[in-house]
């Protein structure tokens, strides 16, 4: 304000002492003006012309401004619709998500994410035809090909089409893309397709990258190894596959059990014997102990000696007590057999089978009342158990070798009941 007043005072003083004239000749007219008035007219003309030109420029720019305003308004509407569509998708409001994505797709730069959101919403609503149309709407560009293939693989896995998922992932990896998510999708597809070698390879690869929880990685590797072992038809193939496994996988209890079972199945009894002895020297396993009892190369007396050594290491294992009772019955060691079986009968997992063996033992010792009582308890336990685990009973071959004959629970309950009635009748 002070500068403005000072400038005005200075200008007034300057014009006060200016006595010059300006003559404008326009025949036949002559116009005489003071210099001060001429300066005022020139400045006013300049300001007027400037304002006129500025107004003309604004008027010419008006259509462009209107178009930009409308485009900005439409873009803001599209961005808001895309944002709300994404929120609706995570909220589970898939119909609303698809409608909002349709609105957002009107913007060219939002067409790709809008189509992806709409495709996922249609997929969640189990509308495969509409989902596929949305996928087809995605432009086949370098930037959109990867996301399209990933989405196709996820949808194929959810639909139970692992071969289609494998094809999509193969096209994705062919382009050099091997990120964590694509490997996880490949793992799911391989698991659905039961391609266990591929499952094992991918589980190891993801485990090294810490892309899987250690428990999940271990479970997948163990499952893949067990399936591969069960599918091998020859003993040398089983041994070769097991020996090629890393030490940490060889030491897994489930892998050891599967390998031993495969060796027994293919006739590699010596290898199975060595593997079972080594494993049971570290930890107890009911499965391995039962497999050891089924080895044909050992007679029941040798099996009894090894089981007694295991008892020194694992004195509280009910399954081992049941096995010792059965082996003592084969060797006609009735007192020891009864003691072991009574201990096994005190544990719920082995109580039903132990009572059945006690019933058979008392029947052989001509104790019909005790035999009937154990038959009754065994029948009640088998009929009341919640699992479908098979029962076990003994048969002795002419060579006094132990064989384990397994029957379904319901059939065993009927057998036990009939044996009990027969024993009571005797």
């Amino acid at each position: 304000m002070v500068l403005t007043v000072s400038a005005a005072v200075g200008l007034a003083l300057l014009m006060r002492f200016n006595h010059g004239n300006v003559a404008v000749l326009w025949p036949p007219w002559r116009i005489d003006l003071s210099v001060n008035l001429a300066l005022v007219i020139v400045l006013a003309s300049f300001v007027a012309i400037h304002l006129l030109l500025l107004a003309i420029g604004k008027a010419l720019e008006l259509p462009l401004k209107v178009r930009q305003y409308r485009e900005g308004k439409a873009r803001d509407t599209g961005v808001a619709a895309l944002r709300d569509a994404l929120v609706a998708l995570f909220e589970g409001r898939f119909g609303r998500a698809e409608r909002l994505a349709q609105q957002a797709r009107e913007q060219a730069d939002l067409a790709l994410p809008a189509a992806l959101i709409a495709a996922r919403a249609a997929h969640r609503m189990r509308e495969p035809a509409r989902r596929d149309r949305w996928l087809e709407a995605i432009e086949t560009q370098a930037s959109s090909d990867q996301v399209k293939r990933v989405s196709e693989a996820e949808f194929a896995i959810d639909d139970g089409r692992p071969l289609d998922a494998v094809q999509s992932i193969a096209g994705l990896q062919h382009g050099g893309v091997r990120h964590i998510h694509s490997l996880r999708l490949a793992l799911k597809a391989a698991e659905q397709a039961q391609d266990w070698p591929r499952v094992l390879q991918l589980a190891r690869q993801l485990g090294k990258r810490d892309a899987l929880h250690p428990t999940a990685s271990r479970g997948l590797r163990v499952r893949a190894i067990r399936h591969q072992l069960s599918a091998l038809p020859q003993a040398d193939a089983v041994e070769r596959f097991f020996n090629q496994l890393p030490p940490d996988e060889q030491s897994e209890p489930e892998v050891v059990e599967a390998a031993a079972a495969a060796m027994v199945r293919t006739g590699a009894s010596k290898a199975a014997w060595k593997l079972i002895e080594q494993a049971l020297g570290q930890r107890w396993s009911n499965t391995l102990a039962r497999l050891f009892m089924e080895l044909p190369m050992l007679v029941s007396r040798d099996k009894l000696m090894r089981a007694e050594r295991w008892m020194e290491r694992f004195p509280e294992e009910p399954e081992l007590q049941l096995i010792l009772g059965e082996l003592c019955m084969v060797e006609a060691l009735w007192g020891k057999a009864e003691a072991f079986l009574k201990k096994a009968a005190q544990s719920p997992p082995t109580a039903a089978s132990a009572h059945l063996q006690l019933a058979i033992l008392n029947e052989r010792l001509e104790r019909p009342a005790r035999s009937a009582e154990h038959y009754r308890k065994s029948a009640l336990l088998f009929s009341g158990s919640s699992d479908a685990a098979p029962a076990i009973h003994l048969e002795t071959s002419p060579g006094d070798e132990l064989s384990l004959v397994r029957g379904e629970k319901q059939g065993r309950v009927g057998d036990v009941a009939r044996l009990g009635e027969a024993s009571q009748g005797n």
Side-chain angles (χ1 to χ4, degrees), residues 73-122:
K73 184 81 171 174
R75 177 172 177 78
D76 293 342
T77 303
V79 171
L82 185 66
R83 181 189 63 240
D84 295 340
L86 187 60
V87 173
L89 179 66
F90 283 105
E91 288 177 346
R93 303 165 66 183
F94 304 122
R96 172 178 170 81
E98 188 175 7
R99 290 193 301 271
L100 290 171
Q102 175 66 41
Q103 297 178 12
R105 188 171 174 270
E106 296 176 359
Q107 298 297 314
D109 56 342
L110 302 178
L112 176 60
L116 289 173
I117 292 175
R120 292 184 177 274

Short mmCIF file of all heavy atoms in Angstrom, two decimals, residues 73-122:
data_model
loop_
_atom_site.label_atom_id
_atom_site.label_comp_id
_atom_site.label_asym_id
_atom_site.label_seq_id
_atom_site.Cartn_x
_atom_site.Cartn_y
_atom_site.Cartn_z
N LYS A 73 -13.90 -35.55 -15.09
CA LYS A 73 -15.04 -36.02 -14.31
C LYS A 73 -15.28 -37.50 -14.53
O LYS A 73 -15.51 -38.27 -13.58
CB LYS A 73 -16.27 -35.21 -14.73
CG LYS A 73 -17.53 -35.50 -13.93
CD LYS A 73 -17.52 -34.77 -12.63
CE LYS A 73 -18.88 -34.90 -11.95
NZ LYS A 73 -18.87 -34.31 -10.61
N ALA A 74 -15.22 -37.91 -15.82
CA ALA A 74 -15.43 -39.32 -16.13
C ALA A 74 -14.32 -40.18 -15.53
O ALA A 74 -14.58 -41.30 -15.05
CB ALA A 74 -15.49 -39.52 -17.65
N ARG A 75 -13.08 -39.70 -15.57
CA ARG A 75 -11.98 -40.47 -14.99
C ARG A 75 -12.15 -40.60 -13.48
O ARG A 75 -11.92 -41.68 -12.91
CB ARG A 75 -10.64 -39.82 -15.32
CG ARG A 75 -9.48 -40.55 -14.68
CD ARG A 75 -8.14 -40.05 -15.15
NE ARG A 75 -7.08 -40.73 -14.43
CZ ARG A 75 -6.66 -41.96 -14.68
NH1 ARG A 75 -7.24 -42.65 -15.65
NH2 ARG A 75 -5.68 -42.51 -13.98
N ASP A 76 -12.51 -39.50 -12.83
CA ASP A 76 -12.74 -39.58 -11.39
C ASP A 76 -13.85 -40.58 -11.07
O ASP A 76 -13.75 -41.34 -10.10
CB ASP A 76 -13.11 -38.20 -10.84
CG ASP A 76 -11.93 -37.22 -10.92
OD1 ASP A 76 -10.79 -37.71 -11.06
OD2 ASP A 76 -12.17 -36.00 -10.85
N THR A 77 -14.89 -40.57 -11.89
CA THR A 77 -15.98 -41.54 -11.69
C THR A 77 -15.48 -42.96 -11.90
O THR A 77 -15.82 -43.88 -11.14
CB THR A 77 -17.14 -41.23 -12.65
OG1 THR A 77 -17.58 -39.88 -12.44
CG2 THR A 77 -18.29 -42.19 -12.43
N GLY A 78 -14.65 -43.16 -12.95
CA GLY A 78 -14.10 -44.50 -13.22
C GLY A 78 -13.19 -44.97 -12.11
O GLY A 78 -13.25 -46.14 -11.69
N VAL A 79 -12.32 -44.09 -11.60
CA VAL A 79 -11.42 -44.47 -10.50
C VAL A 79 -12.22 -44.81 -9.25
O VAL A 79 -11.93 -45.79 -8.55
CB VAL A 79 -10.41 -43.33 -10.24
CG1 VAL A 79 -9.63 -43.60 -8.96
CG2 VAL A 79 -9.47 -43.17 -11.41
N ALA A 80 -13.24 -44.01 -8.96
CA ALA A 80 -14.08 -44.30 -7.81
C ALA A 80 -14.80 -45.64 -7.98
O ALA A 80 -14.92 -46.43 -7.02
CB ALA A 80 -15.09 -43.17 -7.60
N ALA A 81 -15.30 -45.90 -9.20
CA ALA A 81 -15.98 -47.18 -9.45
C ALA A 81 -15.00 -48.35 -9.31
O ALA A 81 -15.35 -49.40 -8.75
CB ALA A 81 -16.60 -47.17 -10.84
N LEU A 82 -13.77 -48.18 -9.80
CA LEU A 82 -12.77 -49.24 -9.68
C LEU A 82 -12.42 -49.48 -8.22
O LEU A 82 -12.29 -50.64 -7.77
CB LEU A 82 -11.53 -48.86 -10.46
CG LEU A 82 -10.42 -49.93 -10.54
CD1 LEU A 82 -10.91 -51.13 -11.33
CD2 LEU A 82 -9.16 -49.35 -11.17
N ARG A 83 -12.27 -48.41 -7.47
CA ARG A 83 -11.97 -48.55 -6.04
C ARG A 83 -13.11 -49.26 -5.31
O ARG A 83 -12.89 -50.19 -4.53
CB ARG A 83 -11.73 -47.16 -5.43
CG ARG A 83 -11.38 -47.19 -3.95
CD ARG A 83 -11.36 -45.81 -3.36
NE ARG A 83 -12.68 -45.19 -3.42
CZ ARG A 83 -12.94 -44.06 -4.06
NH1 ARG A 83 -11.98 -43.43 -4.73
NH2 ARG A 83 -14.15 -43.54 -4.05
N ASP A 84 -14.33 -48.83 -5.57
CA ASP A 84 -15.48 -49.47 -4.92
C ASP A 84 -15.64 -50.92 -5.37
O ASP A 84 -16.07 -51.78 -4.59
CB ASP A 84 -16.75 -48.68 -5.22
CG ASP A 84 -16.72 -47.29 -4.61
OD1 ASP A 84 -15.92 -47.08 -3.67
OD2 ASP A 84 -17.48 -46.41 -5.08
N ALA A 85 -15.31 -51.21 -6.63
CA ALA A 85 -15.39 -52.59 -7.12
C ALA A 85 -14.40 -53.48 -6.39
O ALA A 85 -14.71 -54.62 -6.03
CB ALA A 85 -15.14 -52.63 -8.63
N LEU A 86 -13.20 -52.97 -6.17
CA LEU A 86 -12.19 -53.75 -5.46
C LEU A 86 -12.62 -53.99 -4.01
O LEU A 86 -12.46 -55.10 -3.48
CB LEU A 86 -10.86 -53.00 -5.50
CG LEU A 86 -9.64 -53.74 -4.94
CD1 LEU A 86 -9.41 -55.03 -5.72
CD2 LEU A 86 -8.41 -52.85 -4.99
N VAL A 87 -13.16 -52.97 -3.38
CA VAL A 87 -13.65 -53.14 -2.01
C VAL A 87 -14.79 -54.15 -1.97
O VAL A 87 -14.85 -55.02 -1.09
CB VAL A 87 -14.09 -51.78 -1.43
CG1 VAL A 87 -14.77 -51.96 -0.08
CG2 VAL A 87 -12.89 -50.85 -1.30
N ALA A 88 -15.72 -54.04 -2.92
CA ALA A 88 -16.84 -54.99 -2.96
C ALA A 88 -16.37 -56.42 -3.20
O ALA A 88 -16.93 -57.37 -2.66
CB ALA A 88 -17.83 -54.56 -4.06
N LEU A 89 -15.31 -56.59 -3.99
CA LEU A 89 -14.79 -57.93 -4.24
C LEU A 89 -14.26 -58.54 -2.95
O LEU A 89 -14.53 -59.72 -2.66
CB LEU A 89 -13.67 -57.85 -5.28
CG LEU A 89 -12.99 -59.18 -5.64
CD1 LEU A 89 -13.97 -60.10 -6.36
CD2 LEU A 89 -11.77 -58.94 -6.52
N PHE A 90 -13.54 -57.77 -2.17
CA PHE A 90 -13.01 -58.30 -0.91
C PHE A 90 -14.11 -58.44 0.14
O PHE A 90 -13.96 -59.23 1.08
CB PHE A 90 -11.91 -57.39 -0.39
CG PHE A 90 -10.60 -57.56 -1.11
CD1 PHE A 90 -10.17 -56.61 -2.02
CD2 PHE A 90 -9.81 -58.67 -0.90
CE1 PHE A 90 -8.98 -56.76 -2.70
CE2 PHE A 90 -8.62 -58.83 -1.58
CZ PHE A 90 -8.20 -57.88 -2.47
N GLU A 91 -15.18 -57.68 0.00
CA GLU A 91 -16.31 -57.83 0.92
C GLU A 91 -17.17 -59.04 0.59
O GLU A 91 -18.01 -59.43 1.39
CB GLU A 91 -17.18 -56.58 0.89
CG GLU A 91 -16.55 -55.36 1.55
CD GLU A 91 -17.43 -54.13 1.43
OE1 GLU A 91 -18.38 -54.16 0.61
OE2 GLU A 91 -17.18 -53.15 2.15
N GLY A 92 -16.96 -59.64 -0.57
CA GLY A 92 -17.79 -60.77 -0.97
C GLY A 92 -19.04 -60.37 -1.72
O GLY A 92 -19.88 -61.23 -2.01
N ARG A 93 -19.18 -59.11 -2.07
CA ARG A 93 -20.35 -58.62 -2.83
C ARG A 93 -19.98 -58.66 -4.31
O ARG A 93 -19.70 -57.65 -4.94
CB ARG A 93 -20.72 -57.22 -2.37
CG ARG A 93 -21.00 -57.14 -0.88
CD ARG A 93 -21.01 -55.71 -0.36
NE ARG A 93 -22.11 -54.94 -0.91
CZ ARG A 93 -22.31 -53.66 -0.68
NH1 ARG A 93 -21.46 -52.99 0.11
NH2 ARG A 93 -23.33 -53.03 -1.20
N PHE A 94 -19.99 -59.87 -4.86
CA PHE A 94 -19.42 -60.08 -6.19
C PHE A 94 -20.28 -59.47 -7.30
O PHE A 94 -19.74 -59.00 -8.31
CB PHE A 94 -19.23 -61.58 -6.42
CG PHE A 94 -18.39 -62.23 -5.36
CD1 PHE A 94 -18.90 -63.29 -4.60
CD2 PHE A 94 -17.13 -61.78 -5.09
CE1 PHE A 94 -18.13 -63.88 -3.63
CE2 PHE A 94 -16.35 -62.37 -4.11
CZ PHE A 94 -16.86 -63.43 -3.37
N GLY A 95 -21.60 -59.50 -7.16
CA GLY A 95 -22.45 -58.87 -8.17
C GLY A 95 -22.20 -57.38 -8.28
O GLY A 95 -22.08 -56.83 -9.38
N ARG A 96 -22.11 -56.72 -7.12
CA ARG A 96 -21.82 -55.28 -7.12
C ARG A 96 -20.43 -55.02 -7.68
O ARG A 96 -20.23 -54.05 -8.44
CB ARG A 96 -21.93 -54.75 -5.69
CG ARG A 96 -21.48 -53.31 -5.51
CD ARG A 96 -21.67 -52.85 -4.07
NE ARG A 96 -21.04 -51.58 -3.84
CZ ARG A 96 -21.55 -50.39 -4.16
NH1 ARG A 96 -22.73 -50.35 -4.75
NH2 ARG A 96 -20.91 -49.28 -3.90
N ALA A 97 -19.48 -55.87 -7.35
CA ALA A 97 -18.11 -55.68 -7.86
C ALA A 97 -18.08 -55.77 -9.38
O ALA A 97 -17.40 -54.97 -10.04
CB ALA A 97 -17.19 -56.73 -7.25
N GLU A 98 -18.82 -56.70 -9.95
CA GLU A 98 -18.83 -56.83 -11.40
C GLU A 98 -19.50 -55.62 -12.06
O GLU A 98 -19.03 -55.13 -13.09
CB GLU A 98 -19.55 -58.12 -11.79
CG GLU A 98 -19.44 -58.44 -13.28
CD GLU A 98 -20.05 -59.78 -13.63
OE1 GLU A 98 -20.68 -60.39 -12.74
OE2 GLU A 98 -19.93 -60.20 -14.79
N ARG A 99 -20.58 -55.13 -11.48
CA ARG A 99 -21.26 -53.95 -12.05
C ARG A 99 -20.36 -52.71 -12.00
O ARG A 99 -20.27 -51.96 -12.99
CB ARG A 99 -22.56 -53.68 -11.31
CG ARG A 99 -23.66 -54.73 -11.56
CD ARG A 99 -24.99 -54.23 -11.04
NE ARG A 99 -24.96 -53.94 -9.62
CZ ARG A 99 -25.21 -54.83 -8.66
NH1 ARG A 99 -25.50 -56.10 -8.99
NH2 ARG A 99 -25.17 -54.49 -7.38
N LEU A 100 -19.71 -52.49 -10.89
CA LEU A 100 -18.82 -51.34 -10.77
C LEU A 100 -17.62 -51.47 -11.69
O LEU A 100 -17.14 -50.47 -12.26
CB LEU A 100 -18.36 -51.19 -9.32
CG LEU A 100 -19.45 -50.76 -8.32
CD1 LEU A 100 -18.94 -50.85 -6.90
CD2 LEU A 100 -19.93 -49.35 -8.62
N ALA A 101 -17.12 -52.68 -11.86
CA ALA A 101 -16.01 -52.88 -12.79
C ALA A 101 -16.42 -52.59 -14.22
O ALA A 101 -15.62 -52.08 -15.02
CB ALA A 101 -15.48 -54.32 -12.66
N GLN A 102 -17.67 -52.90 -14.56
CA GLN A 102 -18.17 -52.58 -15.89
C GLN A 102 -18.18 -51.06 -16.11
O GLN A 102 -17.83 -50.57 -17.19
CB GLN A 102 -19.58 -53.13 -16.04
CG GLN A 102 -20.28 -52.77 -17.34
CD GLN A 102 -19.61 -53.40 -18.54
OE1 GLN A 102 -19.21 -54.54 -18.50
NE2 GLN A 102 -19.46 -52.63 -19.61
N GLN A 103 -18.54 -50.30 -15.09
CA GLN A 103 -18.50 -48.84 -15.21
C GLN A 103 -17.07 -48.34 -15.36
O GLN A 103 -16.79 -47.46 -16.18
CB GLN A 103 -19.14 -48.21 -13.97
CG GLN A 103 -20.63 -48.54 -13.79
CD GLN A 103 -21.19 -47.93 -12.53
OE1 GLN A 103 -20.56 -47.08 -11.90
NE2 GLN A 103 -22.39 -48.37 -12.14
N ALA A 104 -16.15 -48.90 -14.56
CA ALA A 104 -14.77 -48.44 -14.62
C ALA A 104 -14.11 -48.80 -15.95
O ALA A 104 -13.18 -48.12 -16.39
CB ALA A 104 -13.97 -49.05 -13.47
N ARG A 105 -14.58 -49.84 -16.61
CA ARG A 105 -13.95 -50.30 -17.85
C ARG A 105 -14.14 -49.29 -18.98
O ARG A 105 -13.46 -49.37 -20.00
CB ARG A 105 -14.54 -51.65 -18.23
CG ARG A 105 -13.83 -52.33 -19.38
CD ARG A 105 -14.33 -53.75 -19.57
NE ARG A 105 -13.74 -54.34 -20.76
CZ ARG A 105 -14.27 -54.29 -21.97
NH1 ARG A 105 -15.44 -53.67 -22.14
NH2 ARG A 105 -13.67 -54.83 -23.01
N GLU A 106 -15.05 -48.32 -18.84
CA GLU A 106 -15.24 -47.32 -19.88
C GLU A 106 -14.02 -46.43 -20.05
O GLU A 106 -13.85 -45.81 -21.08
CB GLU A 106 -16.47 -46.47 -19.54
CG GLU A 106 -17.77 -47.28 -19.53
CD GLU A 106 -18.96 -46.44 -19.11
OE1 GLU A 106 -18.74 -45.24 -18.81
OE2 GLU A 106 -20.09 -46.96 -19.08
N GLN A 107 -13.17 -46.38 -19.04
CA GLN A 107 -11.92 -45.64 -19.14
C GLN A 107 -10.85 -46.58 -19.71
O GLN A 107 -10.62 -47.67 -19.19
CB GLN A 107 -11.49 -45.12 -17.77
CG GLN A 107 -12.47 -44.14 -17.16
CD GLN A 107 -12.61 -42.89 -18.00
OE1 GLN A 107 -11.62 -42.31 -18.44
NE2 GLN A 107 -13.84 -42.46 -18.23
N ALA A 108 -10.19 -46.13 -20.77
CA ALA A 108 -9.25 -47.01 -21.47
C ALA A 108 -8.11 -47.47 -20.57
O ALA A 108 -7.71 -48.63 -20.60
CB ALA A 108 -8.70 -46.29 -22.70
N ASP A 109 -7.57 -46.57 -19.75
CA ASP A 109 -6.44 -46.95 -18.90
C ASP A 109 -6.86 -47.78 -17.70
O ASP A 109 -6.01 -48.31 -16.99
CB ASP A 109 -5.68 -45.71 -18.45
CG ASP A 109 -6.59 -44.72 -17.73
OD1 ASP A 109 -7.83 -44.83 -17.88
OD2 ASP A 109 -6.07 -43.83 -17.03
N LEU A 110 -8.17 -47.87 -17.44
CA LEU A 110 -8.67 -48.69 -16.33
C LEU A 110 -9.30 -50.00 -16.82
O LEU A 110 -9.80 -50.77 -16.01
CB LEU A 110 -9.71 -47.91 -15.52
CG LEU A 110 -9.24 -46.59 -14.91
CD1 LEU A 110 -10.40 -45.92 -14.17
CD2 LEU A 110 -8.07 -46.81 -13.96
N ALA A 111 -9.26 -50.23 -18.13
CA ALA A 111 -9.95 -51.40 -18.68
C ALA A 111 -9.34 -52.71 -18.18
O ALA A 111 -10.07 -53.66 -17.85
CB ALA A 111 -9.91 -51.35 -20.21
N LEU A 112 -8.00 -52.78 -18.08
CA LEU A 112 -7.35 -54.03 -17.67
C LEU A 112 -7.68 -54.39 -16.22
O LEU A 112 -8.17 -55.50 -15.96
CB LEU A 112 -5.85 -53.92 -17.88
CG LEU A 112 -5.01 -55.10 -17.40
CD1 LEU A 112 -5.43 -56.38 -18.11
CD2 LEU A 112 -3.52 -54.83 -17.61
N PRO A 113 -7.44 -53.50 -15.25
CA PRO A 113 -7.79 -53.89 -13.87
C PRO A 113 -9.29 -54.10 -13.69
O PRO A 113 -9.69 -54.97 -12.90
CB PRO A 113 -7.27 -52.73 -13.03
CG PRO A 113 -7.13 -51.59 -13.97
CD PRO A 113 -6.78 -52.18 -15.28
N ALA A 114 -10.12 -53.34 -14.40
CA ALA A 114 -11.56 -53.53 -14.28
C ALA A 114 -11.98 -54.91 -14.79
O ALA A 114 -12.81 -55.60 -14.18
CB ALA A 114 -12.30 -52.43 -15.03
N ALA A 115 -11.42 -55.32 -15.93
CA ALA A 115 -11.76 -56.64 -16.47
C ALA A 115 -11.29 -57.75 -15.54
O ALA A 115 -11.98 -58.77 -15.37
CB ALA A 115 -11.12 -56.81 -17.85
N LEU A 116 -10.14 -57.60 -14.90
CA LEU A 116 -9.65 -58.61 -13.96
C LEU A 116 -10.55 -58.72 -12.74
O LEU A 116 -10.87 -59.83 -12.28
CB LEU A 116 -8.23 -58.26 -13.53
CG LEU A 116 -7.14 -58.44 -14.59
CD1 LEU A 116 -5.81 -57.89 -14.07
CD2 LEU A 116 -7.00 -59.90 -14.96
N ILE A 117 -10.98 -57.58 -12.22
CA ILE A 117 -11.88 -57.60 -11.06
C ILE A 117 -13.20 -58.25 -11.44
O ILE A 117 -13.76 -59.08 -10.70
CB ILE A 117 -12.08 -56.18 -10.52
CG1 ILE A 117 -10.79 -55.65 -9.91
CG2 ILE A 117 -13.21 -56.14 -9.49
CD1 ILE A 117 -10.86 -54.21 -9.46
N ALA A 118 -13.74 -57.88 -12.61
CA ALA A 118 -15.01 -58.46 -13.05
C ALA A 118 -14.88 -59.97 -13.28
O ALA A 118 -15.79 -60.74 -12.93
CB ALA A 118 -15.48 -57.78 -14.32
N ALA A 119 -13.75 -60.41 -13.85
CA ALA A 119 -13.55 -61.84 -14.08
C ALA A 119 -13.48 -62.60 -12.76
O ALA A 119 -14.07 -63.69 -12.62
CB ALA A 119 -12.27 -62.06 -14.88
N ARG A 120 -12.79 -62.05 -11.77
CA ARG A 120 -12.71 -62.73 -10.48
C ARG A 120 -14.05 -62.73 -9.77
O ARG A 120 -14.41 -63.72 -9.10
CB ARG A 120 -11.65 -62.06 -9.60
CG ARG A 120 -10.24 -62.28 -10.12
CD ARG A 120 -9.19 -61.70 -9.21
NE ARG A 120 -7.86 -62.00 -9.73
CZ ARG A 120 -7.19 -63.12 -9.49
NH1 ARG A 120 -7.75 -64.05 -8.73
NH2 ARG A 120 -5.99 -63.32 -10.00
N ALA A 121 -14.82 -61.67 -9.92
CA ALA A 121 -16.15 -61.64 -9.31
C ALA A 121 -17.06 -62.68 -9.96
O ALA A 121 -17.79 -63.41 -9.27
CB ALA A 121 -16.75 -60.24 -9.45
N ALA A 122 -17.03 -62.78 -11.29
CA ALA A 122 -17.83 -63.79 -11.98
C ALA A 122 -17.38 -65.20 -11.60
O ALA A 122 -18.21 -66.12 -11.45
CB ALA A 122 -17.73 -63.60 -13.49
#
